[in-house]
Amino acid sequence: MLLSSLICATLIFGAESRFIEPKPKPSRNPVVPGVVFDRFITIWLENINFASASSDPNFAALTKQGIQLTNYFAVTHPSEPNYVASVGGDYFGMNNDNLHRIPANISSIVDLLEEKGISWGEYQEDMPETGFQGFQQLAPSGANDYVRKHNPLIIFDSVANFSSRADKIKNFTLFEQDLAENKIPQWSFITPNMTNDGHDTNITFASTWARGFLEPLLKNPHFNGEKTLILLTFDENGSSDPHNRVDSVLLGTAVPRELIGTQDTAFYTHYSEIATVEANWGLHTLGRFDVGANVFSLVAKHTRDVIRKLDVNQAFLNISYPGPFNTAPSGNYAVPNTKLTVNGRRVLPKVVETWGSAHLQRCALYDGALLPPSGLNPPVIPEGC
Ligand SMILES: *[C@@H]1O[C@H](CO)[C@@H](O)[C@H](O)[C@H]1NC(C)=O
Ligand SMILES: *[C@@H]1O[C@H](CO)[C@@H](O)[C@H](O)[C@H]1NC(C)=O
Ligand SMILES: *[C@@H]1O[C@H](CO)[C@@H](O)[C@H](O)[C@H]1NC(C)=O
Ligand SMILES: *[C@@H]1O[C@H](CO)[C@@H](O)[C@H](O)[C@H]1NC(C)=O
Ligand SMILES: *[C@@H]1O[C@H](CO)[C@@H](O)[C@H](O)[C@H]1NC(C)=O
Ligand SMILES: *[C@@H]1O[C@H](CO)[C@@H](O)[C@H](O)[C@H]1NC(C)=O
Ligand SMILES: *[C@@H]1O[C@H](CO)[C@@H](O)[C@H](O)[C@H]1NC(C)=O
């Protein structure tokens, strides 16, 4: 009796392990609670200097409803490396907007979120179909509409090559549908088209769009439900700012009432976006520039992450350091530092498995510094790496 039930259990177990393919945790999971927010939504506009954005009346009207981050910096030029950095913790030397594919052995924020069962998605305006991998989509008039360079996660083969992941990269038609069905994921990246985001227009146009898009959504519980944090930012400066400072605003129900209309002067970069999400949900890290970045103080205060200080006059994040995606390619994909920890957060086990051998770790270049490198201050790569 005992023996036969053991055999039976073994057979069932055997059948399961043979026929059920591994899947990420189901997206119908209950909401995974975070320390300060249960939902994070970021919306990216294009190419505007801090001064032009902060003096624009519509942008100022949005800013008054949240926290203005007055020392938030893009990490290089042009667009694509900034988008990539915000989800991957590095841009691998990219200094152009070419059609890149980041190899599948390089992890992104998606691996960190899925490990904890946190739902995620992107909404890319005018992308012609879900999971589209093409370079661009023009409007019938010939105007720019959708561009791959503003779609950070499709650039990672660790996302694009798996339909269960690529299917989470949708357009605004499906945004409207997900919104109506209360299915906006817990982590979302939103990219308006090249007219609305200011790329082919200007701050007046982009801020009018942003206000028209966001103000109704701020009142919609399917978007700005309980404990929602929204980051509205720009990919890079607009003209002649060697520091590459951009105006950024935190909005949503996760912003405490007493902080509405205030400024946060701490030093942040696009890497702070990942660091904040990691701290809020107690995620693993990527072992890249995400580890050293400051966590937004409204979260750091509760997670006890230390906000480090920096003389922002020393930050010139205006040119890319070398690497495989540079127009003059050099070197290999940077090796994450699998031994880094920050406030108890360790590097994702899968990253350690891929990159943690002593042979590769000799080449790790990340040291947890607060100021990421730039072309003026490139990372020191050990001989033979
Ligand atoms: C991902 O897809 C690209 C394009 O089809 C291919 O070149 C690459 O080898 C794929 N990577 C993996 C790990 O399958
Ligand atoms: C990652 O993939 C790239 C491209 O296929 C390859 O050149 C590199 O050796 C791989 N690195 C590791 C650590 O797997
Ligand atoms: C949005 O994506 C869906 C699904 O792929 C597609 O059917 C629809 O035509 C797309 N909408 C636009 C405006 O491109
Ligand atoms: C951009 O999106 C708006 C709607 O948000 C649409 O009216 C416009 O046609 C789209 N494309 C261009 C090139 O403006
Ligand atoms: C901003 O862009 C819009 C749309 O292209 C244009 O109509 C308007 O004249 C521009 N405003 C300025 C100040 O350039
Ligand atoms: C980057 O900043 C340095 C230091 O101020 C400056 O010399 C250089 O011209 C800047 N480069 C660009 C492209 O802005
Ligand atoms: C931002 O400013 C720098 C000068 O430091 C300039 O080279 C760059 O083209 C500007 N970015 C954009 C998108 O205009």
Side-chain angles (χ1 to χ4, degrees), residues 131-160:
F132 179 68
Q133 296 199 28
F135 190 61
Q136 63 180 6
Q137 178 75 11
L138 300 178
S141 65
N144 289 316
D145 242 350
Y146 162 82
V147 286
R148 177 185 168 102
K149 66 180 176 175
H150 296 171
N151 179 351
L153 286 167
I154 207 73
I155 299 163
F156 287 78
D157 276 354
S158 55
V159 174

Coordinates of all heavy atoms in Angstrom, one line a residue, residues 131-160:
G131 N 4.7 43.2 -28.9 CA 6.0 42.6 -29.0 C 6.7 42.9 -30.3 O 7.7 42.2 -30.7
F132 N 6.3 43.9 -31.0 CA 6.9 44.3 -32.3 C 8.4 44.6 -32.1 O 8.8 45.3 -31.2 CB 6.2 45.6 -32.8 CG 6.7 46.2 -34.1 CD1 6.5 45.5 -35.3 CD2 7.4 47.4 -34.1 CE1 7.0 46.1 -36.5 CE2 7.8 48.0 -35.3 CZ 7.6 47.3 -36.5
Q133 N 9.2 44.0 -33.0 CA 10.7 44.1 -32.9 C 11.3 45.0 -33.9 O 12.5 45.2 -34.0 CB 11.3 42.7 -32.9 CG 10.9 41.9 -31.7 CD 11.8 40.7 -31.5 OE1 13.0 40.8 -31.7 NE2 11.2 39.7 -30.9
G134 N 10.5 45.6 -34.8 CA 11.1 46.5 -35.9 C 11.7 47.8 -35.3 O 11.5 48.1 -34.2
F135 N 12.3 48.5 -36.3 CA 13.1 49.7 -35.9 C 12.2 50.9 -35.7 O 12.4 51.7 -34.8 CB 14.0 50.0 -37.1 CG 15.1 51.1 -36.8 CD1 16.0 50.9 -35.7 CD2 15.1 52.2 -37.5 CE1 16.9 51.9 -35.4 CE2 16.0 53.2 -37.2 CZ 16.9 53.1 -36.2
Q136 N 11.1 51.0 -36.4 CA 10.2 52.2 -36.3 C 8.9 51.9 -37.0 O 8.7 50.9 -37.7 CB 10.8 53.4 -36.9 CG 11.1 53.3 -38.4 CD 11.7 54.6 -39.0 OE1 12.1 55.5 -38.3 NE2 11.8 54.6 -40.3
Q137 N 7.9 52.8 -36.7 CA 6.6 52.8 -37.4 C 6.3 54.2 -37.7 O 6.2 55.0 -36.8 CB 5.6 52.1 -36.5 CG 4.2 52.1 -37.1 CD 4.0 51.0 -38.2 OE1 4.9 50.2 -38.4 NE2 2.9 51.1 -38.9
L138 N 6.2 54.5 -39.0 CA 5.9 55.9 -39.4 C 4.4 56.1 -39.5 O 3.6 55.1 -39.8 CB 6.5 56.2 -40.8 CG 8.0 56.1 -40.9 CD1 8.5 56.5 -42.3 CD2 8.7 57.1 -39.9
A139 N 3.9 57.3 -39.3 CA 2.5 57.6 -39.5 C 2.2 57.7 -41.0 O 3.2 57.8 -41.8 CB 2.2 59.0 -38.8
P140 N 0.9 57.6 -41.4 CA 0.6 57.6 -42.8 C 1.2 58.9 -43.5 O 1.6 58.9 -44.6 CB -0.9 57.6 -42.9 CG -1.3 57.0 -41.6 CD -0.2 57.3 -40.6
S141 N 1.3 60.0 -42.7 CA 1.9 61.2 -43.2 C 3.4 61.2 -43.5 O 4.0 62.1 -44.0 CB 1.6 62.4 -42.2 OG 2.3 62.1 -41.0
G142 N 4.0 60.1 -43.0 CA 5.5 60.0 -43.0 C 6.1 60.5 -41.8 O 7.3 60.4 -41.6
A143 N 5.3 61.1 -40.8 CA 5.9 61.6 -39.6 C 6.4 60.4 -38.7 O 5.8 59.3 -38.8 CB 4.9 62.4 -38.8
N144 N 7.3 60.6 -37.9 CA 7.8 59.6 -36.9 C 6.6 59.3 -36.0 O 5.9 60.2 -35.5 CB 8.9 60.2 -36.0 CG 10.2 60.3 -36.8 OD1 10.6 59.4 -37.5 ND2 10.8 61.5 -36.6
D145 N 6.5 58.1 -35.6 CA 5.4 57.7 -34.6 C 6.1 56.9 -33.5 O 6.5 57.4 -32.5 CB 4.4 56.9 -35.3 CG 3.0 57.6 -35.3 OD1 2.9 58.6 -34.6 OD2 2.1 57.2 -36.0
Y146 N 6.2 55.6 -33.8 CA 6.8 54.6 -32.8 C 8.3 54.4 -33.2 O 8.6 54.3 -34.4 CB 6.1 53.3 -32.8 CG 7.0 52.2 -32.2 CD1 7.0 52.0 -30.8 CD2 7.8 51.4 -33.0 CE1 7.8 51.1 -30.2 CE2 8.6 50.4 -32.4 CZ 8.6 50.3 -31.0 OH 9.4 49.3 -30.4
V147 N 9.2 54.4 -32.2 CA 10.6 54.1 -32.5 C 11.1 53.1 -31.4 O 10.8 53.2 -30.2 CB 11.5 55.3 -32.5 CG1 11.3 56.1 -33.7 CG2 11.3 56.2 -31.2
R148 N 11.8 52.1 -31.9 CA 12.4 51.1 -31.0 C 13.3 51.6 -30.0 O 13.4 51.1 -28.9 CB 13.1 50.0 -31.9 CG 13.8 48.9 -31.2 CD 14.6 48.1 -32.2 NE 15.5 47.1 -31.5 CZ 15.3 45.8 -31.3 NH1 14.2 45.3 -31.8 NH2 16.2 45.1 -30.7
K149 N 14.1 52.7 -30.4 CA 15.1 53.3 -29.4 C 14.4 53.8 -28.2 O 15.2 54.0 -27.2 CB 15.9 54.3 -30.1 CG 15.1 55.6 -30.5 CD 15.9 56.6 -31.2 CE 15.0 57.8 -31.7 NZ 15.8 58.9 -32.3
H150 N 13.1 54.0 -28.2 CA 12.4 54.5 -27.0 C 11.7 53.4 -26.3 O 10.8 53.6 -25.4 CB 11.5 55.6 -27.3 CG 12.1 56.9 -27.8 ND1 11.4 57.9 -28.3 CD2 13.4 57.2 -27.9 CE1 12.3 58.9 -28.7 NE2 13.5 58.5 -28.4
N151 N 12.0 52.1 -26.6 CA 11.3 51.0 -26.1 C 12.3 50.1 -25.4 O 12.9 49.2 -26.0 CB 10.6 50.2 -27.2 CG 9.9 48.9 -26.8 OD1 10.0 48.5 -25.7 ND2 9.1 48.4 -27.7
P152 N 12.6 50.4 -24.1 CA 13.9 49.8 -23.6 C 13.9 48.3 -23.5 O 14.9 47.7 -23.8 CB 13.9 50.4 -22.1 CG 12.5 50.9 -21.9 CD 11.9 51.3 -23.2
L153 N 12.8 47.7 -23.2 CA 12.9 46.2 -22.9 C 13.0 45.4 -24.2 O 13.5 44.3 -24.1 CB 11.8 45.8 -22.0 CG 12.0 46.2 -20.5 CD1 10.7 46.1 -19.7 CD2 13.2 45.5 -19.9
I154 N 12.5 45.9 -25.3 CA 12.5 45.1 -26.5 C 14.0 44.9 -27.0 O 14.3 44.0 -27.7 CB 11.6 45.7 -27.6 CG1 11.2 44.6 -28.6 CG2 12.3 46.8 -28.4 CD1 10.1 43.7 -28.1
I155 N 14.8 45.8 -26.5 CA 16.3 45.8 -26.9 C 17.0 44.7 -26.2 O 18.1 44.3 -26.6 CB 16.9 47.2 -26.6 CG1 16.1 48.3 -27.5 CG2 18.4 47.3 -26.9 CD1 16.3 49.7 -27.0
F156 N 16.4 44.1 -25.1 CA 17.0 43.0 -24.4 C 16.5 41.7 -25.0 O 15.3 41.4 -24.9 CB 16.7 43.1 -22.9 CG 17.4 44.2 -22.2 CD1 17.0 45.5 -22.3 CD2 18.5 43.9 -21.4 CE1 17.7 46.5 -21.6 CE2 19.2 44.9 -20.7 CZ 18.8 46.2 -20.9
D157 N 17.4 40.9 -25.5 CA 17.0 39.5 -26.0 C 16.4 38.7 -24.9 O 15.6 37.8 -25.1 CB 18.2 38.8 -26.7 CG 18.3 39.2 -28.1 OD1 17.5 40.0 -28.7 OD2 19.3 38.8 -28.8
S158 N 16.8 39.0 -23.6 CA 16.3 38.2 -22.5 C 14.8 38.5 -22.3 O 14.1 37.8 -21.6 CB 17.0 38.5 -21.2 OG 17.0 39.9 -21.0
V159 N 14.3 39.5 -23.0 CA 12.8 39.8 -23.1 C 12.3 39.5 -24.4 O 11.3 38.7 -24.6 CB 12.6 41.3 -22.7 CG1 11.1 41.6 -22.9 CG2 13.0 41.6 -21.3
A160 N 12.9 40.0 -25.5 CA 12.4 39.9 -26.8 C 12.3 38.5 -27.4 O 11.4 38.2 -28.1 CB 13.2 40.8 -27.8

